[in-house]
Amino acid sequence: MSVEPLIRVQHLHKWFGMLHVLNDICLDVMQREVVCIIGRSGSGKSTLLRSLNFLEEPSAGIIEVDGLVIEAGGKGKLERGLVHALRLKTGMVFQEFNLFPHMTVLENVMEGPVIVKGMTKTAAREIAEANLDRVGLLFKEDEYPNRLSGGQKQRVAIARALAMEPRVMLFDEPTSALDPELIGEVLNVMKKLALEGTTMLIVTHEMGFAREVADRVAVMADGEIIEQGIPDELFRAPREPRTKALIEGYRSGVQDQKPETQRQRTRQRK
Amino acid sequence: MTIKAVPDQSDTRVDAHRGMGEALAALHERQRRIHSIKVTVVWLGIVALLIGGLLLLKTDPSYMVAHYNIILQGAGATLGVSLASILIATILALFGAIARLSTNSLAQGISGVYVSVIRGTPLLIQIFLIYLGLPQIGQRLNEIGLPWLGRLFILDAIPAGILALSLNYGAYMTEIFRAGLQSIGYGQREAAIALGMTPMQVMRRIILPQAIRIIIPDVGNQFIAMQKDSALVSIMGVWEITFLAGRYARRDSKYIEMYLVAAAAYWILTIISSYFQDRIERRMGRAYER
């Protein structure tokens, strides 16, 4: 395997007006690595994730994904083609699913391959069905999204992103809009992807999931990554007081109620 | 024995409850039907009162019956002008709305002026300007040696009417389309962009198909309103319903009779249009049923 990271973020800044939301963020993600970003609301973790595919244009900094380098906030106009190429390398899953309600489940997943990649319907259908099968929802392919539960919608959204065959999957609080009893099915799909070796960057409040599945956890506060490390160590002995407060908040709250499944932490990495 | 006794008991209870549900449903159904019968009676009562009143006031129903066929003669022109106008207005509104929402300053400016001017002036004056005003420009162009250009400014009554109605409704519908396009959540746009779609693809594949479902009922309303506003083109001598009614009314001094016939004609057209609007709406809601 290459030693070069798949994602390299260097000195990323983002201002919303006078608000400094991202302050000099540097972050590397290796191929096949699963990185969870945790932090309080407003700490900048979603903005960081959304900067990676330029849904949010960073004010300054360099983003590198799979050899593609984009410098934000530089002089001159941002090159459209570069941003487009970047988006093809990243798949995004949103908190609110954002399925296209006027299309069936299958059409939702086929849309990207057909419209963006210009694939034939037959080829796209094959890919779409394979990915719906991966998330266990092939039997719902002819339903419209409104007839699905929240958990099913999110799994379709994951399949839709996977169908573009991105190099990295970005998850923006994928279970935060779900009823508690539906969270498990989505986390299970994500866990399966992790075991298959998908590179994932996940913004989440699910501490149990982060501890179980992540290779690395990054903690954000006030627009900075204040601490990162191997989940077991970080959760057992956080160095930063703000990390400690964050983890204790979850422990005492009702948040961390995910049923513990068997541990399958160590994935072989070549 | 005890094992058997328990399910028996619960079975009868379930049956009793099911009976209750059916009885309630039947009761609601009966109440609903009685209500709609009452409403129908009120409608018929009002119509009967109006007819009675008109007969007392020495109107001439036989004249109305004898000339009811103006409906058939005029409906073609009324419908034709309205349909052509709503079609052109829809296209204008689509481009108008996209222009108003675009970041391009030229597009934003042009669409802004268009909507502001048209909505700020009466339709009747717009009709006069197009039918009577434009030929004046055409004539001047003829005089300065540009007859091919001048000819474009001299419009017959029907094209002039269609142009005026299209421009007018296009402006109002621009605002309707804009609201429809804006009502589609930003998340839809983001999801499409994240897949790698271009702004054009996002509009065509994601935003527009969803917005149309929201816009259609309003376009239907506009079409229904336009059928009646098309009466204004009668002043240019287009042989539509209002013009024909007016002709007989003046000739035989039968104003109440002929304008009532005309009013009835529009009313019938509106009812028919509403029916089709309802059907289209129901069809488009398909994906949104739970």
Side-chain angles (χ1 to χ4, degrees):
Chain A
M1 82 169 255
S2 62
V3 231
E4 283 288 294
L6 187 66
I7 299 179
R8 163 159 277 178
V9 176
Q10 292 176 74
H11 305 293
L12 201 67
H13 289 266
K14 174 72 182 177
W15 277 272
F16 283 132
M18 292 301 290
L19 207 64
H20 203 172
V21 207
L22 294 181
N23 185 5
D24 203 34
I25 299 278
C26 296
L27 178 72
D28 284 358
V29 179
M30 307 302 289
Q31 199 164 342
R32 301 169 75 89
E33 195 178 22
V34 176
V35 177
C36 281
I37 305 174
I38 62 174
R40 295 193 190 289
S41 333
S43 58
K45 51 195 194 313
S46 279
T47 309
L48 169 59
L49 199 74
R50 292 159 56 83
S51 296
L52 289 179
N53 62 356
F54 271 67
L55 276 187
E56 216 70 78
E57 196 183 325
S59 310
I62 298 173
I63 289 173
E64 194 178 331
V65 177
D66 190 29
L68 190 89
V69 187
I70 302 189
E71 190 176 349
K75 344 87 223 134
K77 243 191 157 180
L78 201 70
E79 213 183 304
R80 287 227 145 271
L82 270 182
V83 173
H84 181 75
L86 179 72
R87 287 176 180 153
L88 288 183
K89 288 183 185 292
T90 55
M92 182 115 181
V93 174
F94 299 86
Q95 183 178 342
E96 301 289 343
F97 332 128
N98 296 339
L99 291 183
F100 306 132
H102 57 302
M103 301 178 186
T104 63
V105 163
L106 183 68
E107 286 164 350
N108 262 278
V109 184
M110 285 171 63
E111 186 70 5
V114 171
I115 298 303
V116 178
K117 285 189 170 174
M119 280 180 147
T120 63
K121 289 227 163 138
T122 333
R125 192 189 177 107
E126 213 166 286
I127 289 181
E129 286 181 339
N131 280 297
L132 280 173
D133 198 28
R134 261 170 113 181
V135 301
L137 283 173
L138 187 52
F139 70 109
K140 290 284 190 190
E141 63 176 358
D142 292 325
E143 288 286 8
Y144 282 95
N146 267 9
R147 298 181 66 105
L148 303 181
S149 73
Q152 290 171 335
K153 282 183 197 172
Q154 194 59 299
R155 284 152 67 196
V156 172
I158 293 172
R160 179 175 66 180
L162 287 172
M164 293 298 285
E165 297 175 337
R167 296 305 312 273
V168 54
M169 287 285 285
L170 309 173
F171 292 84
D172 189 6
E173 300 197 26
T175 57
S176 296
L178 293 174
D179 292 336
E181 75 270 18
L182 300 175
I183 291 176
E185 58 180 280
V186 173
L187 293 183
N188 281 336
V189 166
M190 291 166 64
K191 200 188 300 171
K192 187 175 153 215
L193 295 180
L195 290 172
E196 288 168 10
T198 314
T199 311
M200 304 204 277
L201 198 49
I202 305 165
V203 168
T204 186
H205 290 290
E206 295 292 325
M207 296 297 149
F209 174 81
R211 192 161 186 175
E212 185 186 4
V213 179
D215 297 303
R216 187 151 51 97
V217 173
V219 186
M220 283 191 73
D222 306 318
E224 295 177 50
I225 294 179
I226 54 170
E227 181 168 3
Q228 47 178 317
I230 295 165
D232 270 337
E233 287 171 15
L234 189 132
F235 281 106
R236 198 176 332 108
R239 274 178 287 121
E240 271 272 335
R242 282 179 290 180
T243 311
K244 206 170 162 188
L246 180 75
I247 292 169
E248 267 162 14
Y250 279 110
R251 219 168 262 151
S252 59
V254 280
Q255 279 282 344
D256 207 358
Q257 53 181 205
K258 202 183 72 66
E260 275 298 328
T261 39
Q262 87 266 33
R263 310 216 123 197
Q264 352 162 252
R265 247 214 42 74
T266 27
R267 295 178 291 110
Q268 65 271 47
R269 194 112 44 77
K270 289 169 209 111
Chain B
M1 274 319 284
T2 44
I3 296 167
K4 209 180 172 210
V6 174
D8 274 352
Q9 228 173 20
S10 69
D11 273 1
T12 51
R13 204 181 304 138
V14 166
D15 277 353
H17 287 174
R18 188 181 300 138
M20 208 162 96
E22 278 163 7
L24 266 175
L27 183 66
H28 281 169
E29 177 60 23
R30 220 179 60 219
Q31 282 171 340
R32 206 183 51 80
R33 216 174 298 149
I34 290 172
H35 178 75
S36 56
I37 290 172
K38 281 182 183 165
V39 173
T40 313
V41 168
V42 172
W43 274 67
L44 292 176
I46 292 172
V47 172
L49 264 175
L50 285 176
I51 291 175
L54 287 172
L55 289 175
L56 279 177
L57 294 170
K58 289 210 301 187
T59 51
D60 185 354
S62 61
Y63 188 87
M64 288 165 75
V65 173
H67 292 89
Y68 82 94
N69 60 345
I70 66 148
I71 297 180
L72 300 175
Q73 288 168 8
T78 295
L79 267 180
V81 168
S82 303
L83 274 173
S85 304
I86 200 82
L87 207 76
I88 300 171
T90 301
I91 296 165
L92 277 174
L94 180 59
F95 284 108
I98 292 175
R100 291 214 83 177
L101 292 174
S102 85
T103 47
N104 184 301
S105 46
L106 186 68
Q108 234 181 57
I110 292 174
S111 57
V113 169
Y114 166 55
V115 171
S116 176
V117 167
I118 297 284
R119 294 211 305 179
T121 53
L123 173 57
L124 188 58
I125 289 185
Q126 291 160 15
I127 290 174
F128 282 141
L129 279 174
I130 288 170
Y131 186 55
L132 304 172
L134 286 187
Q136 213 174 313
I137 297 175
Q139 229 165 2
R140 182 82 192 102
L141 287 169
N142 271 340
E143 285 164 19
I144 63 173
L146 296 165
W148 53 273
L149 194 61
R151 228 173 290 133
L152 290 178
F153 284 82
I154 302 171
L155 294 172
D156 282 342
I158 286 183
I162 290 174
L163 182 61
L165 284 172
S166 306
L167 281 175
N168 186 274
Y169 274 71
Y172 285 95
M173 284 163 63
T174 291
E175 292 300 284
I176 292 173
F177 276 47
R178 181 169 77 153
L181 293 176
Q182 277 179 325
S183 73
I184 305 307
Y186 199 70
Q188 290 288 307
R189 192 180 301 268
E190 285 197 332
I193 291 173
L195 282 178
M197 288 196 199
T198 62
M200 194 72 156
Q201 289 170 332
V202 176
M203 180 56 75
R204 193 169 53 84
R205 299 287 310 173
I206 307 302
I207 307 294
L208 213 49
Q210 295 184 62
I212 281 174
R213 192 183 130 264
I214 293 165
I215 292 167
I216 283 273
D218 288 319
V219 172
N221 282 336
Q222 294 294 310
F223 180 59
I224 287 167
M226 182 186 276
Q227 282 170 10
K228 284 151 290 171
D229 274 352
S230 73
L232 286 172
V233 305
S234 65
I235 54 168
M236 297 183 291
V238 177
W239 282 50
E240 45 68 78
I241 295 169
T242 308
F243 178 80
L244 289 171
R247 227 162 68 104
Y248 288 108
R250 277 189 297 276
R251 196 188 67 188
D252 300 333
S253 289
K254 299 284 187 187
Y255 291 100
I256 283 213
E257 289 82 356
M258 286 324 288
Y259 283 121
L260 273 179
V261 169
Y266 286 110
W267 193 17
I268 292 166
L269 281 180
T270 303
I271 289 170
I272 295 171
S273 307
S274 306
Y275 169 77
F276 282 111
Q277 183 192 3
D278 193 50
R279 280 190 50 168
I280 292 170
E281 249 172 77
R282 233 175 282 166
R283 253 188 94 105
M284 304 213 57
R286 220 180 35 214
Y288 297 83
E289 285 159 12
R290 279 170 190 270

